[in-house]
Amino acid sequence: MGGTTPGSMPPDSTTVDEEGVLIDDFLLIDEGALREAETRALFASGRYPSRNVDQNLADLMAQVAACTRGADELIRMVDEFGRPVVAAYMGHVQDNAEEAVRRAIAALKPGAFDYEMDDGAVIRVTIDIDPAGRRAVVDFTGTSGQRPTNFNAPLSITRAAVLYVFRTLVDDAIPLNEGCLKPIELIVPEGSMLNPRHPAAVVAGNVETSQAVVDALYGALGVLAASQGTMNNFTFGDDARQYYETIAGGSGAGPDFDGAAAVQTHMTNSRLTDPEVLESRFPVLLEEFSIRRGSGGAGAHRGGDGTVRRLRFLEPMTASILSNHRRVPPFGVNGGEPGATGVNRIERHDGRTEDLPSTARADMDPGDVFIIETPGGGGYGKP
């Protein structure tokens, strides 16, 4: 929470300290009671503290309530079936997931892929398949070193992206769990942008680099064209109000299907705030949210189209965009054409237009319009 910009997603952070209050092993609940004074002091600490502690506390209490409900249900299940049975079935769930992924791996072909991001960084991945052992080695050796920007992804994020991809290759209805990774050896060099050292800035690692890792893995396997490859993280606010949203785009086409238009893809599943709620709580006017027709890549199967989102500001605020694929287009596969790159732009109230790069922040005056055109997905197969 906090950071140099409202919404806690600064586009230009260079160290993790600039991204807000860093919480490490903090006791939130003690004997059933919230340690409110200590929590408030924590959120007020650091160079760039939280702007809205009351809202943060409300979020945390909702999370505590959800965890409490989960714990209660687990205890109820143990009371009904007994702890040995519950523990055994937890193992069965992982064993079943492991076997499902092994079956999927046996049908794959090895491959390699280089994925260039807008800032020039390259994610390099090689996937080796052992059909007899039904195992895979996913090796990111050769990936760009730790970035001076915030596009570094902690190892846990890289691992989660690999887990996600191999889970999607399984047709069986299995829950996502640790068993999916047991047949996979993961090699990620320390000090690379996918396994950075403290105090690297990492705010874009979860929301942007994770998307690039997923598309690079699909590209290496040749099973899916690139999706929009970005979450189009848009934040705005002031000292009293903060807002953060991710914006849908086009998904990549596959060997027997077109990509979908205007959807959240891969490592994001968040929903947008309803326009009525957005406009009632913030001094903005949502002028347009539409499908960006023709932005999907052509192919035997066409990539999905992106979106156009126009937001007019009614009061002065700071706005930031953290995105990718504004320079490098989402790739097509097997002769499919790439999707259209995204666009970030401001139309000022006096008629001036400002084109923005992938990551930017701007002071918005009343009447200014922030425009985000999201990328389309890549096509699959020759048109």
Short mmCIF file of all heavy atoms in Angstrom, two decimals, residues 30 33 40 79 116 161 170 258 279 282 304 321 328 335 350 377 382-383:
data_model
loop_
_atom_site.label_atom_id
_atom_site.label_comp_id
_atom_site.label_asym_id
_atom_site.label_seq_id
_atom_site.Cartn_x
_atom_site.Cartn_y
_atom_site.Cartn_z
N ASP A 30 -4.25 -10.93 16.95
CA ASP A 30 -3.66 -11.52 18.15
C ASP A 30 -4.79 -11.95 19.08
O ASP A 30 -5.54 -11.12 19.58
CB ASP A 30 -2.76 -10.50 18.84
CG ASP A 30 -1.96 -11.13 19.98
OD1 ASP A 30 -1.96 -12.38 20.09
OD2 ASP A 30 -1.34 -10.38 20.76
N ALA A 33 -8.20 -10.64 18.10
CA ALA A 33 -8.41 -9.19 18.04
C ALA A 33 -7.47 -8.55 17.02
O ALA A 33 -6.28 -8.90 16.96
CB ALA A 33 -8.19 -8.56 19.41
N ARG A 40 -2.13 0.47 11.80
CA ARG A 40 -2.13 1.84 11.31
C ARG A 40 -0.72 2.42 11.29
O ARG A 40 -0.34 3.13 10.34
CB ARG A 40 -3.05 2.71 12.16
CG ARG A 40 -4.53 2.45 11.95
CD ARG A 40 -5.40 3.40 12.75
NE ARG A 40 -6.81 3.18 12.47
CZ ARG A 40 -7.47 3.73 11.46
NH1 ARG A 40 -6.83 4.56 10.63
NH2 ARG A 40 -8.75 3.48 11.26
N ASP A 79 -13.94 -32.67 11.41
CA ASP A 79 -14.86 -33.23 12.41
C ASP A 79 -15.73 -34.33 11.81
O ASP A 79 -16.06 -35.31 12.48
CB ASP A 79 -15.75 -32.12 12.98
CG ASP A 79 -14.99 -31.18 13.90
OD1 ASP A 79 -13.90 -31.56 14.36
OD2 ASP A 79 -15.48 -30.06 14.13
N GLU A 116 10.34 -10.53 -26.91
CA GLU A 116 10.83 -9.18 -26.65
C GLU A 116 9.70 -8.31 -26.09
O GLU A 116 8.59 -8.30 -26.60
CB GLU A 116 11.37 -8.54 -27.92
CG GLU A 116 11.97 -7.16 -27.68
CD GLU A 116 12.50 -6.49 -28.94
OE1 GLU A 116 12.37 -7.11 -30.03
OE2 GLU A 116 13.04 -5.38 -28.85
N ALA A 161 3.28 -18.56 -13.19
CA ALA A 161 2.97 -18.50 -14.61
C ALA A 161 3.20 -19.85 -15.28
O ALA A 161 2.41 -20.29 -16.13
CB ALA A 161 3.81 -17.41 -15.28
N VAL A 170 -4.10 -29.32 -19.61
CA VAL A 170 -4.77 -30.52 -19.12
C VAL A 170 -6.26 -30.42 -19.39
O VAL A 170 -6.90 -29.43 -19.01
CB VAL A 170 -4.51 -30.70 -17.60
CG1 VAL A 170 -5.33 -31.86 -17.05
CG2 VAL A 170 -3.03 -30.91 -17.34
N ASP A 258 -10.82 -19.30 -32.95
CA ASP A 258 -10.46 -17.88 -32.99
C ASP A 258 -10.24 -17.37 -31.57
O ASP A 258 -10.75 -17.94 -30.60
CB ASP A 258 -11.59 -17.06 -33.63
CG ASP A 258 -11.77 -17.38 -35.11
OD1 ASP A 258 -10.85 -17.92 -35.72
OD2 ASP A 258 -12.87 -17.07 -35.64
N GLU A 279 -18.59 6.25 -11.73
CA GLU A 279 -18.89 7.67 -11.88
C GLU A 279 -19.50 8.27 -10.62
O GLU A 279 -19.42 9.49 -10.42
CB GLU A 279 -19.82 7.88 -13.07
CG GLU A 279 -19.16 7.52 -14.40
CD GLU A 279 -20.09 7.69 -15.58
OE1 GLU A 279 -21.30 7.93 -15.37
OE2 GLU A 279 -19.61 7.56 -16.73
N PHE A 282 -16.12 8.57 -8.14
CA PHE A 282 -14.95 9.32 -8.59
C PHE A 282 -15.38 10.42 -9.56
O PHE A 282 -16.36 10.25 -10.30
CB PHE A 282 -13.94 8.39 -9.27
CG PHE A 282 -13.40 7.32 -8.36
CD1 PHE A 282 -14.01 6.08 -8.29
CD2 PHE A 282 -12.29 7.57 -7.56
CE1 PHE A 282 -13.52 5.10 -7.45
CE2 PHE A 282 -11.79 6.59 -6.72
CZ PHE A 282 -12.41 5.35 -6.66
N GLY A 304 -8.35 -12.32 -31.20
CA GLY A 304 -9.44 -11.51 -30.67
C GLY A 304 -9.11 -10.02 -30.71
O GLY A 304 -7.95 -9.61 -30.66
N ILE A 321 -0.33 4.87 -16.26
CA ILE A 321 -0.57 3.68 -17.07
C ILE A 321 0.68 2.81 -17.01
O ILE A 321 1.80 3.31 -17.16
CB ILE A 321 -0.93 4.04 -18.53
CG1 ILE A 321 -1.23 2.77 -19.34
CG2 ILE A 321 0.15 4.87 -19.18
CD1 ILE A 321 -2.51 2.08 -18.97
N VAL A 328 6.02 -3.46 -29.44
CA VAL A 328 6.14 -4.81 -30.02
C VAL A 328 4.75 -5.44 -30.08
O VAL A 328 4.07 -5.56 -29.06
CB VAL A 328 7.08 -5.68 -29.18
CG1 VAL A 328 7.19 -7.08 -29.79
CG2 VAL A 328 8.45 -5.02 -29.06
N GLY A 335 2.35 -18.87 -39.06
CA GLY A 335 1.96 -18.03 -40.18
C GLY A 335 0.86 -17.04 -39.86
O GLY A 335 0.51 -16.20 -40.72
N ASP A 350 -7.84 21.66 -24.06
CA ASP A 350 -7.60 22.77 -24.99
C ASP A 350 -7.35 22.28 -26.42
O ASP A 350 -6.98 23.07 -27.30
CB ASP A 350 -6.41 23.61 -24.51
CG ASP A 350 -5.11 22.81 -24.40
OD1 ASP A 350 -5.10 21.62 -24.79
OD2 ASP A 350 -4.10 23.37 -23.91
N GLY A 377 -5.18 -9.91 -30.02
CA GLY A 377 -4.44 -11.17 -29.96
C GLY A 377 -3.88 -11.56 -31.32
O GLY A 377 -4.33 -11.08 -32.36
N LYS A 382 -1.79 -19.50 -41.50
CA LYS A 382 -1.79 -18.50 -42.57
C LYS A 382 -3.20 -18.06 -42.91
O LYS A 382 -4.12 -18.88 -42.99
CB LYS A 382 -1.12 -19.09 -43.80
CG LYS A 382 0.38 -19.35 -43.62
CD LYS A 382 1.02 -19.86 -44.90
CE LYS A 382 2.51 -20.10 -44.71
NZ LYS A 382 3.14 -20.62 -45.93
N PRO A 383 -3.41 -16.76 -43.13
CA PRO A 383 -4.74 -16.27 -43.48
C PRO A 383 -5.25 -16.91 -44.76
O PRO A 383 -4.48 -17.20 -45.66
CB PRO A 383 -4.53 -14.76 -43.65
CG PRO A 383 -3.29 -14.43 -42.91
CD PRO A 383 -2.41 -15.66 -43.01
#
